[in-house]
Amino acid sequence: MTVKYTEDHEWVLIEGDNATIGITEYAQNALGDIVFVEVPEAGTEFSQGDDAAVVESVKAASEVYAPISGEITEGNAALEDEPALVNTSPEGDGWFFKMTIGDAAELEDLMDEKAYNEFCEGLD
Amino acid sequence: MSDTLKTTPLHALHVELGGKMVAFAGYDMPVQYPLGILKEHLHTREACGLFDVSHMGQALLKGADVQSAIESLTPSDIKSLPIDGIRYSLLMNDEGGIRDDFMVTNRGDHLYIVVNAACKDADFAHIAASLPDHTLEILEDRALLALQGPKAAEVLNRFAPGVDQLIFMNMGEYDIAGIPCLVSRSGYTGEDGYEISVPTAQCEELARKLLAEAEVEAIGLGARDSLRLEVGLCLYGSDIDTTTSPIEGSLNWAVGKRRREEGGFPGHDVVMKHLADGVERKRVGIKPLGRAPARAHTEIADMDGNVIGEITSGGFGPSFGGPVAMGYVKTDFAKVGTEIQLIVRGKTMPAEIAKLPFVPQRYYKG
């Protein structure tokens, strides 16, 4: 079990051939109060970098990108009724979607926790 | 970037309070504080919020029969305004469009006016050039605070006994904690409250005193926007602009009855034509029926998919508990309850024309 990160502030939990994706604590803090989340349906195929989900704060709408290529196996239905889970538990109950890992080589593009933390420090 | 932006007298305080600073109308302003937009919004409706609106333009217009003079620029009835009465007014262009919306207070021998930050230089130049026999005194040495919410009167009365007796849309001079201020019972949140013109040098002192009261939280521009949207108030530059007439903007009430008959303001012919013949498009409230907010510039379609208009302000209404919006639709679709569709991220989303305001306005009318 490994967690990797993207420059778009997504986390990718890798478990065998599958991954769970959400947005980071840094991202939820920057977005502020989340009022709407749209997650993809199971069966949807994405290439790395495609728009996969939408997250809206009181201020604005943002896209969540597919950090890797693959097929969606589950979207987090709980976020429809309780989008604020992304604020309270961004790296737990506030996960966005689960997907297959279509191309393991793409995981090499992602940062580990140390690199991501350094990346965030560079932004402040 | 920030060194090209102007600041208000409370800039250091905003930073000290943890305000998230953004560029707005040429000023470095707090969009929110650590409380966050949602809680700031709800706190204002439940208790009391303090807003720094010092970026707005304040001026005095002086000279002979100044009430008649300003009527040459606006369709409002200013001559009938009692002493210290305030009126929401529109600065018009010759095409019947709106140059800005502003507040006018009749101070007897002069007018006190407050205009939008983004328009203030142009507004003041326009007023000064249009009324050469009058004097426009721009109040560079005054800041402006808004104290809004159901607890505002109780809080301000502690510092200025009697200020709770001021009636909505009236002004008076009060010493607040010993600081001489020009106080209006007005605001742009839909709540009871005050707008306080205070000498720049004492603005921070007053703000700190008000913030020290248990009921008061500092509120940023984010909540200011969601508060005004929920109560159906226009944001100049988004909901009304130089291409919208007051009638298209559903601001018929801002065109005085006597002024319709007498005219004498820019764009009178267009306004009268719009009143007589009707308008092709109209500003309405729009309620998305799902949970997704529809933002400004979202296309509006009829149930057959034909484009019939555009959202001009939209977002999430924290007190309403769902998405809220305003926009322009073809007049045939303007009736409350009409089913429409919004095109959000390429998908259609059901919505309906809704009555404004989404949340009731609660003013103190004595």
Side-chain angles (χ1 to χ4, degrees):
Chain A
M1 199 170 95
T2 316
V3 184
K4 296 246 186 175
Y5 298 87
T6 72
E7 291 190 358
D8 299 310
H9 304 284
E10 292 149 317
W11 53 264
V12 183
L13 171 68
I14 302 154
E15 291 168 293
D17 296 333
N18 295 289
T20 305
I21 284 96
I23 67 169
T24 64
E25 171 64 28
Y26 182 97
Q28 77 79 17
N29 187 48
L31 287 168
D33 304 302
I34 308 294
V35 295
F36 175 75
V37 176
E38 186 180 288
V39 294
E41 286 176 22
T44 317
E45 301 235 12
F46 289 114
S47 298
Q48 188 177 35
D50 285 352
D51 296 344
V54 176
V55 55
E56 298 213 23
S57 69
V58 180
K59 273 178 287 185
S62 312
E63 308 286 354
V64 175
Y65 306 104
I68 52 172
S69 304
E71 184 183 324
I72 300 297
T73 53
E74 187 184 356
N76 186 358
L79 298 184
E80 266 178 51
D81 291 330
E82 212 181 336
L85 279 175
V86 179
N87 292 119
T88 54
S89 181
E91 303 186 22
D93 293 342
W95 60 276
F96 275 58
F97 51 87
K98 295 178 193 284
M99 68 192 297
T100 62
I101 298 171
D103 178 1
E106 286 173 353
L107 297 172
E108 301 303 314
D109 302 342
L110 309 179
M111 291 177 275
D112 62 16
E113 187 177 356
K114 183 168 175 287
Y116 176 67
N117 287 340
E118 284 168 6
F119 172 74
C120 289
E121 276 167 31
L123 300 175
D124 289 330
Chain B
M1 182 66 192
S2 63
D3 57 359
T4 65
L5 291 174
K6 289 181 272 187
T7 57
T8 73
L10 292 187
H11 189 267
L13 180 60
H14 296 316
V15 173
E16 180 187 315
L17 293 172
K20 196 178 278 184
M21 307 302 285
V22 299
F24 179 82
Y27 283 80
D28 194 34
M29 297 295 286
V31 66
Q32 65 173 83
Y33 298 91
L35 198 56
I37 296 173
L38 202 70
K39 291 200 182 77
E40 289 172 28
H41 176 117
L42 294 172
H43 185 86
T44 304
R45 293 242 188 273
E46 283 157 18
C48 186
L50 182 70
F51 303 72
D52 178 16
V53 285
S54 302
H55 54 312
M56 298 181 83
Q58 304 177 65
L60 305 180
L61 186 63
K62 297 177 172 174
D65 195 9
V66 69
Q67 293 81 3
S68 297
I70 198 78
E71 284 196 354
S72 67
L73 304 179
T74 172
S76 297
D77 186 346
I78 303 297
K79 285 201 272 192
S80 74
L81 200 52
I83 298 292
D84 286 334
I86 307 169
R87 191 145 288 164
Y88 172 82
S89 307
L90 305 167
L91 274 179
M92 300 291 292
N93 68 23
D94 292 335
E95 293 74 43
I98 302 168
R99 300 176 66 111
D100 196 6
D101 58 349
F102 70 126
M103 301 297 267
V104 180
T105 308
N106 182 13
R107 301 282 290 155
D109 62 351
H110 67 275
L111 304 176
Y112 168 74
I113 66 175
V114 178
V115 303
N116 281 304
C119 305
K120 66 181 176 183
D121 293 343
D123 288 351
F124 290 153
H126 171 65
I127 294 168
S130 304
L131 306 173
D133 297 334
H134 290 76
T135 310
L136 185 72
E137 187 183 320
I138 300 170
L139 301 177
E140 306 277 15
D141 60 347
R142 293 188 83 87
L144 195 63
L145 298 176
L147 188 70
Q148 301 279 294
K151 299 281 186 191
E154 192 184 324
V155 168
L156 202 60
N157 213 53
R158 287 175 205 147
F159 299 95
V163 80
D164 60 343
Q165 299 304 307
L166 199 59
I167 304 288
F168 179 60
M169 293 302 260
N170 278 272
M171 166 174 275
E173 291 175 25
Y174 293 85
D175 283 350
I176 305 178
I179 303 166
C181 296
L182 207 49
V183 180
S184 306
R185 191 96 184 228
S186 57
Y188 221 59
T189 60
E191 296 299 322
D192 182 21
Y194 301 87
E195 288 170 302
I196 305 164
S197 175
V198 52
T200 301
Q202 285 150 300
C203 180
E204 186 175 334
E205 179 193 340
L206 178 58
R208 284 186 188 277
K209 283 195 166 131
L210 293 171
L211 287 170
E213 296 300 302
E215 299 93 335
V216 183
E217 290 284 349
I219 311 295
L221 292 176
R224 183 170 165 81
D225 191 49
S226 55
L227 286 158
R228 69 92 199 161
L229 172 57
E230 272 186 344
V231 290
L233 297 171
C234 289
L235 173 63
Y236 185 81
S238 295
D239 303 309
I240 47 173
D241 60 27
T242 53
T243 69
T244 58
S245 83
I247 312 307
E248 289 171 322
S250 300
L251 297 172
N252 304 39
W253 53 273
V255 183
K257 186 167 175 286
R258 173 178 59 81
R259 305 304 312 283
R260 296 179 190 196
E261 290 154 15
E262 288 179 8
F265 60 87
H268 175 250
D269 51 339
V270 176
V271 168
M272 290 314 286
K273 189 173 182 307
H274 282 181
L275 280 169
D277 303 347
V279 287
E280 287 183 13
R281 58 171 184 161
K282 217 167 144 51
R283 181 177 64 92
V284 292
I286 293 160
K287 184 179 145 197
L289 296 176
R291 293 193 61 128
R295 309 285 173 177
H297 307 301
T298 298
E299 273 190 348
I300 305 170
D302 65 13
M303 297 312 280
D304 296 326
N306 305 304
V307 174
I308 54 163
E310 191 183 87
I311 302 272
T312 49
S313 282
F316 182 80
S319 304
F320 185 71
V324 291
M326 293 197 284
Y328 283 80
V329 295
K330 287 186 180 166
T331 306
D332 293 346
F333 297 90
K335 199 165 163 265
V336 169
T338 306
E339 293 182 334
I340 53 170
Q341 306 186 86
L342 306 175
I343 317 298
V344 177
R345 291 178 285 271
K347 286 184 253 177
T348 57
M349 217 172 70
E352 65 179 27
I353 306 299
K355 193 173 175 297
L356 291 174
F358 291 98
V359 169
Q361 299 173 346
R362 303 188 292 182
Y363 303 128
Y364 179 73
K365 296 187 174 170

